[in-house]
Amino acid sequence: AQTVTQSQPEMSVQEAETVTLSCTYDTSESDYYLFWYKQPPSRQMILVIRQEAYKQQNATENRFSVNFQKAAKSFSLKISDSQLGDAAMYFCAYRKGTSGSRLTFGEGTQLTVNP
Amino acid sequence: EAQVTQNPRYLITVTGKKLTVTCSQNMNHEYMSWYRQDPGLGLRQIYYSMNVEATDKGDVPEGYKVSRKEKRNFPLILESPSPNQTSLYFCASSSQRGARPTTDTQYFGPGTRLTVL
């Protein structure tokens, strides 16, 4: 079974600084997707960034980027120029490439942004 | 506007009183799913549906039922709720058609906070 681990329950960063959230996963599949979701206090689940395993290039979305290390099964999220609105719970998630597969989530990392 | 809706958003009930949480999507998605979120555990899948009349168990199905009679709706039923089902529940949907990665993004509802006393 696939597992996703986020070893940092809490992280904090100063406004305008950079922070990296860690995620590791375990799978025997070669075709899969990885995601980072943001959950602000409103509880809404917001997709931040997505990485296809078959792509070697790391995904980037504005201030958010990932470091995808396929051999190490590591998928970290880097937030640059942190803003107060980035404060949220962040979940790493894995999904097999086959149609209809479930999302397997990590435990979450609570990010605090200090002014 | 493309969206997944859930009702109610908040619910406090008592042990054993049957309840239904509704989920509806307007994107004509084939795949729908229910998750529960608990502190320190992330989100775990309860049930999922590949299409109308096609449902299957997820990781934590005990104590829950679902049905998929219409493509847009996927209600979650707790026939005899217990306090350990106090949780935050999310419905999600995604398309199974078209080119990847279109089919890979799950859209989440706003969540339902359930408390069972």
Side-chain angles (χ1 to χ4, degrees):
Chain A
Q2 292 81 20
T3 59
V4 178
T5 302
Q6 294 177 248
S7 58
Q8 306 155 313
E10 298 176 347
M11 292 281 286
S12 63
V13 63
Q14 291 296 124
E15 198 175 1
E17 297 291 307
T18 296
V19 64
T20 298
L21 308 184
S22 300
C23 173
T24 59
Y25 60 96
D26 186 26
T27 184
S28 57
E29 304 287 335
S30 59
D31 182 16
Y32 56 89
Y33 297 80
L34 296 164
F35 306 85
W36 279 99
Y37 280 88
K38 171 185 178 180
Q39 187 180 52
S42 67
R43 300 298 189 186
Q44 180 70 43
M45 293 292 286
I46 302 167
L47 179 64
V48 174
I49 200 164
R50 172 182 53 219
Q51 175 78 44
E52 292 88 347
Y54 61 87
K55 289 188 177 178
Q56 293 187 343
Q57 185 173 8
N58 289 325
T60 299
E61 290 287 344
N62 300 313
R63 298 183 295 106
F64 298 87
S65 62
V66 298
N67 183 4
F68 175 46
Q69 301 289 325
K70 192 170 184 179
K73 296 180 181 174
S74 170
F75 182 61
S76 60
L77 175 69
K78 185 172 82 170
I79 306 174
S80 303
D81 186 26
S82 297
Q83 301 176 358
L84 294 178
D86 295 333
M89 179 72 84
Y90 286 82
F91 290 101
C92 178
Y94 162 98
R95 180 186 179 280
K96 283 197 299 185
T98 49
S99 178
S101 299
R102 73 189 65 174
L103 281 170
T104 299
F105 286 86
E107 305 90 338
T109 296
Q110 182 68 51
L111 178 66
T112 301
V113 181
N114 300 309
Chain B
E1 178 188 357
Q3 61 182 353
V4 179
T5 57
Q6 293 178 228
N7 283 293
R9 295 288 310 279
Y10 301 89
L11 179 61
I12 301 175
T13 189
V14 295
T15 298
K17 186 177 182 181
K18 181 179 179 179
L19 67 92
T20 299
V21 183
T22 64
C23 173
S24 182
Q25 50 92 6
N26 63 359
M27 296 168 278
N28 201 35
H29 285 169
E30 294 77 21
Y31 183 86
M32 298 186 74
S33 180
W34 277 102
Y35 295 85
R36 62 177 287 174
Q37 181 181 349
D38 301 290
L41 297 177
L43 284 76
R44 295 174 293 167
Q45 191 184 56
I46 303 170
Y47 268 95
Y48 67 95
S49 170
M50 294 292 289
N51 214 321
V52 174
E53 302 292 2
T55 63
D56 206 349
K57 297 176 181 179
D59 296 317
V60 287
E62 294 78 20
Y64 305 94
K65 285 178 60 178
V66 293
S67 68
R68 187 93 180 271
K69 294 184 171 57
E70 301 170 287
K71 195 173 186 180
R72 63 183 292 127
N73 297 323
F74 189 45
L76 179 69
I77 302 159
L78 286 72
E79 296 213 325
S80 184
S82 62
N84 64 11
Q85 293 178 299
T86 293
S87 187
L88 178 61
Y89 291 86
F90 287 99
C91 181
S93 73
S94 64
S95 173
Q96 301 301 297
R97 300 172 185 266
R100 297 163 71 171
T102 305
T103 60
D104 306 308
T105 299
Q106 293 206 14
Y107 295 83
F108 282 83
T112 295
R113 169 71 71 186
L114 172 65
T115 301
V116 183
L117 302 175

